[in-house]
Amino acid sequence: MIEIIFLDVDGCLSDGGIYKTNSGDELKRFDVKDGFAIHQWNRMGKISAIITGKSSQIVADRAKELEIKYCFQGVSDKLSKAKEILALEGLSLDNAAAIGDDYNDIKLLKSVALSFVPNDAFEALNPDIKLTKNGGYGAVREMIEIIIDRENLRSEWVGRWL
């Protein structure tokens, strides 16, 4: 059973663009549908974790807002960091799913029980599931919905609102 999802940020939770203002401030675009799904996943007692190569206060703030349990930035070896988190939670890679979009995600994607890439991810990643949505435009929501259906959790997922 999938108990934890590992999330890349740029190209998965965001559209991968790096927007800079004239004053040097950085902006990122996040999809509210992704945020809603992550928050609901967490409220079901599941775990979400951001593991990203870049560092940004914007990401830390978004993780806090969505109650994402783990947020590690500036990580070069995502698989090692994921294994650390799994050890803390008493879980294994068999309990994990991940989404990534480029070479720096490949070791993690190949190791988890269920791997996903957005529709616009780098072609050579060969995930279990290529999503129909692009990164930053509902790909993480689509991933979570697929897991919900595969794990037969749809009635619990929808029942939270009915």
Side-chain angles (χ1 to χ4, degrees):
M1 179 164 256
I2 302 298
E3 298 294 334
I4 187 168
I5 54 174
F6 295 112
L7 309 168
D8 178 42
V9 176
D10 294 317
C12 294
L13 271 176
S14 81
D15 62 8
I18 297 174
Y19 306 92
K20 297 274 189 175
T21 66
N22 286 335
S23 60
D25 294 329
E26 185 174 302
L27 307 171
K28 289 188 185 290
R29 180 195 179 282
F30 298 103
D31 191 304
V32 70
K33 292 175 188 72
D34 289 338
F36 179 83
I38 293 166
H39 194 251
Q40 295 314 305
W41 172 263
N42 296 337
R43 290 184 68 201
M44 288 177 62
K46 305 293 187 174
I47 303 165
S48 55
I50 287 175
I51 305 176
T52 185
K54 196 166 172 2
S55 294
S56 165
Q57 185 60 46
I58 297 166
V59 172
D61 292 345
R62 185 69 172 151
K64 183 177 179 182
E65 177 182 34
L66 298 177
E67 300 175 0
I68 293 173
K69 188 168 186 179
Y70 299 98
C71 181
F72 291 99
Q73 301 188 68
V75 177
S76 58
D77 187 344
K78 294 182 180 187
L79 178 58
S80 290
K81 186 56 72 178
K83 287 179 177 178
E84 288 176 29
I85 295 168
L86 291 168
L88 289 171
E89 293 294 333
L91 297 171
S92 74
L93 289 164
D94 292 334
N95 304 116
I99 185 170
D101 69 316
D102 216 328
Y103 280 129
N104 61 334
D105 302 305
I106 201 162
K107 286 194 306 184
L108 179 57
L109 292 174
K110 287 182 181 279
S111 300
V112 295
L114 195 55
S115 63
F116 297 84
V117 299
N119 186 53
D120 58 345
F122 185 66
E123 294 281 331
L125 296 181
N126 196 28
D128 295 314
I129 298 173
K130 182 176 181 178
L131 301 164
T132 63
K133 305 284 187 191
N134 287 346
Y137 292 91
V140 172
R141 170 72 178 258
E142 184 180 0
M143 172 184 126
I144 291 172
E145 294 269 356
I146 289 169
I147 295 169
I148 292 297
D149 286 339
R150 284 178 154 229
E151 303 283 327
N152 295 315
L153 297 171
R154 178 60 58 184
S155 61
E156 180 182 350
W157 180 258
V158 175
R160 305 180 71 73
W161 303 105
L162 300 177

